[in-house]
Amino acid sequence: MDDAGPLAKISAASRLRSCKRDVLDRWTRRVLDDPRAPAPRRGERPVLVDAAPALLEHLIEALAASRLAGEDAALRGAYERVEDHARRCVTRGRCIEAALRELSHLRAALIEECVAQDIALGVGEAQVLHAVVDASMWTSALEIERATRAALEDSGARLRLATQAGGVGVWDYDTVTGKLRWDDRCREVCGLEPASDVESDVDYELFLSAIHPDDRARVQEAVLRSQAPESGGEYSIEYRLVGIRDGIERWVCVQGRTFFDATGRSVRMIGTAIDISDRKRAEAARLDDLAFRDRFLAALSHYLRTPLTAVTLASSTLVRHGNLTPRQATSVEGIAASARRMARTIDDLLDLTRSCFGDSIPVARRPGNLHVLCKGAIDELRATRAGVPIRLDLRGSGAGLWDPERIAQMVTNLVQNAVDHADPGSAVRVAIRPRGGDVLIEVHNEGPEIAPERLATLFEPWQQASPAEGRASAGRGLGLGLFIAHQIARAHGGVIEVASQAERGTTFTARLPRRRAGARG
């Protein structure tokens, strides 16, 4: 067929132009019915529907130019127009996969129409047809590669900027070969020069040698655990490094993920490392400060007990045998009351130090009546806080196993707190009632609502009322009362809860188990 004259070839191109509509209809059906197209694309509008007429014209021009002038300017122009369209397709963000498939369908539709219309294509024309479509696809692939590379370089640059700004090191571990790749920040954390005092690729053994001996086994266990498929590949740990070259000890926080092949074998780990040495030093310093404070309070409490005991004994002796005048007796009783208050403060400090050192408040439970214990504590408070009425409501049985002294201390702290924060002229109500196998001690006062944000820390030590919430108190004022009360309830196997609303006041409820068979409500 290639031996036919030029006019025959021009006639073939002209005949193709006359049936362009049929070619485009055939192309549309092929695209919409393509069984290999991605599921979301089937039946959708073709990506190249607006460009297909121009593309078909480019192909026909290339066929005509291939016989008229060979590889002359006209043929090169057809190639350039097709390639230029491929570039625009990429830059406009169209679906490249769909565009490439639709180009191949356009070529097939043109060939099918030639067969249907009995339009003979020579070998050279068929080669040109395929070459022009291939050129479009090749150009699209090159543009995609170029755009992808630029995007990767841009994202890589942004990642490097972010990691550098945050002091984050990035590492990559080939679990098959044992090779590690550290960026400059990882090398710095491991005590290596950022340049090349060793190769950028290191091995797992070098990494292990940099881990503090006391942490090495723990790190190895975490690495192996992350390489088990059932772990999900998660890797997160904090440990110490000893610089390979500089010998400096550093703490690092390492996060990573393991990747697996189709058989479930780990093939790669990628992650980050952050130097957290400053944070660890600050934590250690804080723990040292807390330990010093606790030791100081414990020592101070014990040292104060000796002179306080002497003051208490002397005041008691004077009250009993001093033949004091009424005024002198009042003064001595004030001394005794202050000594008792100081003794309670010292007890609170000792209980606090026990809790800080991990010990619970000791209790010695024995059979007793909770009603009697609470009434005794409240009677003592009534004598010292006569300005606020304290009303006691006793229901059911108070029998159970209790530590009498600790229960009295807990009730005193709760009621003292309620008295301190009660509205002027209002009463504090204390109710004791059974609930199942427990006994409830409810202490209620009318007063300012406790702010919701303070409820979460109310039973922590050193929590004092703010000036807007509190009243001037004759109590201890160290912010330990509620903490100690809560610890005593816990030591009895119970708990203290609080509810506070402006219109209903505040109620502290201590729930204590009786721990006594046969006790009845």
Side-chain angles (χ1 to χ4, degrees), residues 179-312:
K179 288 291 185 181
L180 272 170
R181 181 172 289 273
W182 290 338
D183 69 356
D184 284 348
R185 180 57 178 160
C186 276
R187 294 169 60 82
E188 181 182 351
V189 171
C190 288
L192 297 175
E193 292 294 331
S196 57
D197 56 333
V198 296
E199 296 179 358
S200 58
D201 283 341
V202 295
D203 57 32
Y204 189 69
E205 293 304 320
L206 181 65
F207 159 66
L208 288 180
S209 70
I211 301 174
H212 192 285
D214 293 343
D215 295 341
R216 193 170 296 152
R218 183 167 57 89
V219 174
Q220 287 182 287
E221 180 184 353
V223 171
L224 291 175
R225 186 167 55 249
S226 74
Q227 293 179 9
E230 58 271 18
S231 73
E234 294 293 336
Y235 177 60
S236 177
I237 190 171
E238 294 180 0
Y239 55 87
R240 289 165 292 177
L241 290 171
V242 180
I244 296 172
R245 293 295 178 85
D246 59 21
I248 297 175
E249 183 177 303
R250 302 175 178 89
W251 273 94
V252 291
C253 175
V254 181
Q255 305 278 343
R257 176 176 288 276
T258 300
F259 296 87
F260 305 91
D261 63 12
T263 66
R265 182 184 65 161
S266 67
V267 294
R268 190 180 186 189
M269 292 181 70
I270 300 175
T272 60
I274 303 176
D275 188 336
I276 58 171
S277 301
D278 290 343
R279 190 193 84 193
K280 286 293 186 177
R281 282 192 288 268
E283 290 176 356
R286 178 175 176 274
L287 291 176
D288 288 342
D289 289 344
L290 290 175
F292 172 78
R293 186 189 69 182
D294 293 337
R295 288 193 297 270
F296 172 77
L297 289 176
L300 179 64
S301 299
H302 284 293
Y303 282 127
L304 288 176
R305 277 189 175 278
T306 300
L308 184 60
T309 300
V311 171
T312 303

Side-chain angles (χ1 to χ4, degrees), residues 74-105:
L75 183 58
R76 287 195 300 272
Y79 272 92
E80 289 172 359
R81 284 192 294 275
V82 173
E83 292 172 353
D84 181 62
H85 181 274
R87 293 188 187 93
R88 290 198 304 272
C89 188
V90 173
T91 58
R92 289 174 183 174
R94 289 174 174 167
C95 177
I96 301 304
E97 178 188 3
L100 294 179
R101 297 184 70 84
E102 290 179 13
L103 273 173
S104 67
H105 282 305

